[in-house]
Amino acid sequence: MIERDWPADEPDIPIVDWEGRAIDCSDCEVRRTDARCERGHACVHDRYARRIDRFFRWNPDQSNDYLDHPYFEVRAIACRRADVFRLPPLIRDEDETVRLSVAVRLPLAQVVRLRRDPHREVRIRVAMRLEGSDLLAMADDEDYYVRKLVARRLPLALLPRMIGDSEWEVRMEAAKRLEMPELLRMCDDRETAVRREVARRLPEAMLERMAHDPDWAIRWETAQRASAALAGRMASQDDEEEVRLAACERLASLRHDEGISEGVCHG
């Protein structure tokens, strides 16, 4: 008796092959081997991906034999357990689902061959695996999310390459990680969200530059971390009431920490 590790009944999913024909087990080549299978539950000829996956989970040693199967789901699922040295030819497979499975398992020396894959999901997976200069080569990818992953994973020494990216979400990833002096180069970024992140991370001594930002949200963020001298100026000179209040609160907090009790802000 076969021990089930998936729900046994899937009554709404027809038992047909990848071409829509009813599956006939009477003349199946799998039956002539010692492989485990079960019609409607674990079958390499079924159209339903879960049934294919169950077959290969039960019979991982069969995976190599199905890497050239005409149905892309069979090839893609077989890739998960096939011998790695059998996978390089599938880098050129016509279906991106297969190439995605290959990108997950290939050694990095082979994965680089998929950096320019026509499908973004494949390149996303590649960007999640490559390192260093191999990853940097994807910094000009046409898809912003690929470049975002590059900015998230590049070594700090290579990260300044992403400062001038056209997409603000990519630059935001850089702003979250860059250190001085490269971070200072982003003070004038054209996107408010990026400059706000810069204001959160700049050393206190460098915040004077952000105190004059045209966007009051940036100045408000700056006031949260300002030195006593800068907070005092912002409390009395900023044009926005919310910024002045934030500067007053910051100044009061600094004075409290120093044990100074006199008031510092006046309405």
Side-chain angles (χ1 to χ4, degrees):
M1 182 176 180
I2 294 176
E3 180 181 349
R4 298 181 183 277
D5 56 356
W6 292 79
D9 53 338
E10 295 157 339
D12 297 331
I13 302 175
I15 303 174
V16 295
D17 68 13
W18 67 283
E19 293 182 307
R21 299 172 301 195
I23 292 177
D24 181 6
C25 299
S26 61
D27 191 34
C28 176
E29 76 281 1
V30 175
R31 291 293 183 92
R32 296 190 288 271
T33 71
D34 58 359
R36 297 170 60 198
C37 62
E38 182 176 349
R39 187 175 187 273
H41 184 68
C43 178
V44 73
H45 297 304
D46 203 293
R47 182 170 63 188
Y48 186 42
R50 282 194 172 183
R51 293 171 185 162
I52 299 169
D53 184 65
R54 291 172 192 145
F55 175 84
F56 286 116
R57 287 183 62 194
W58 288 1
N59 307 282
D61 59 324
Q62 298 274 327
S63 299
N64 288 346
D65 298 333
Y66 289 93
L67 294 176
D68 58 354
H69 193 277
Y71 185 32
F72 77 92
E73 287 280 21
V74 172
R75 299 195 305 276
I77 296 170
C79 281
R80 299 173 186 172
R81 297 175 178 85
D83 294 335
V84 172
F85 69 85
R86 298 284 299 273
L87 299 183
L90 294 173
I91 289 175
R92 298 181 298 276
D93 193 276
E94 64 184 14
D95 192 274
E96 66 272 10
T97 307
V98 178
R99 300 196 304 275
L100 185 59
S101 292
V102 170
V104 171
R105 295 200 59 216
L106 279 177
L108 295 183
Q110 296 287 331
V111 172
V112 295
R113 296 169 58 188
L114 287 163
R115 282 186 308 208
R116 303 301 178 189
D117 191 274
H119 200 278
R120 73 183 293 267
E121 294 298 329
V122 177
R123 301 198 308 278
I124 285 172
R125 177 58 63 178
V126 171
M128 293 173 66
R129 293 196 61 203
L130 291 182
E131 305 284 348
S133 59
D134 288 333
L135 180 60
L136 182 63
M138 302 186 75
D140 61 350
D141 192 276
E142 65 183 29
D143 189 275
Y144 91 94
Y145 192 75
V146 174
R147 302 196 308 276
K148 185 175 178 177
L149 287 173
V150 172
R152 186 177 296 170
R153 300 189 62 249
L154 273 178
L156 284 177
L158 300 176
L159 189 54
R161 165 70 173 74
M162 312 305 293
I163 290 176
D165 193 274
S166 60
E167 175 57 49
W168 74 267
E169 289 189 42
V170 177
R171 302 196 304 276
M172 174 69 89
E173 290 297 325
K176 289 178 180 178
R177 300 180 56 220
L178 282 171
E179 303 293 345
M180 294 293 292
E182 288 80 10
L183 183 61
L184 193 62
R185 294 169 53 190
M186 304 193 75
C187 287
D188 298 319
D189 191 276
R190 59 186 177 276
E191 175 62 40
T192 298
V194 175
R195 299 199 307 279
R196 190 166 185 173
E197 182 64 27
V198 174
R200 292 189 184 112
R201 299 192 62 242
L202 274 178
E204 182 182 299
M206 299 292 178
L207 283 173
E208 176 77 41
R209 185 166 176 178
M210 308 304 292
H212 304 287
D213 193 278
D215 193 302
W216 75 268
I218 310 300
R219 304 196 305 276
W220 182 89
E221 198 71 54
T222 300
Q224 310 298 308
R225 304 178 51 238
S227 64
L230 180 56
R233 289 197 298 274
M234 296 181 75
S236 62
Q237 299 174 11
D238 197 275
D239 294 335
E240 178 63 44
E241 181 180 6
E242 290 295 328
V243 176
R244 296 196 301 273
L245 288 174
C248 282
E249 291 175 2
R250 170 64 173 170
L251 194 53
S253 175
L254 292 171
R255 294 282 182 141
H256 179 270
D257 291 344
E258 295 174 3
I260 302 173
S261 60
E262 65 264 23
V264 294
C265 290
H266 304 282

